[in-house]
Amino acid sequence: EKVEEYTLSKSNNLVLNVDGCLGALFVDMLGSCGLYSGEEVMEILELGALNGIFILSRSIGLIGHFLDQKRMKQPLYRHPYDDVLYTKPERPHRDANYLASTDLDESNVQSFDD
């Protein structure tokens, strides 16, 4: 109930996906197994343990898709190249204030635009 309440407090139409469910289950498991104090649970979470769980679950999913495609003797899905848009991000301009705040001057700053 608390997870649902927190999720809906951000937006009325925000849906908790599988990654959020795994995170909630992991936190619940840590808190209820009796091996960790509340302080230790918070420390584990602050160290980024949920990021590892996220990456692990996504990796298992990718491997599953790969093996399924091999079983069906089909290549992995490739999105059509023409439908993929890539735009080069703008680089921030390095002005005199930036150079003054560092030990650099114009003579030893390499331009990546050349």
Side-chain angles (χ1 to χ4, degrees), residues 8-22:
L8 293 176
S9 74
K10 293 182 170 206
S11 174
N12 287 338
N13 62 353
L14 187 62
V15 178
L16 187 63
N17 63 11
V18 68
D19 301 313
C21 290
L22 284 172

Side-chain angles (χ1 to χ4, degrees), residues 98-109:
Y98 169 80
L99 292 174
S101 68
T102 66
D103 60 352
L104 301 174
D105 60 32
E106 291 291 337
S107 66
N108 63 3
V109 175

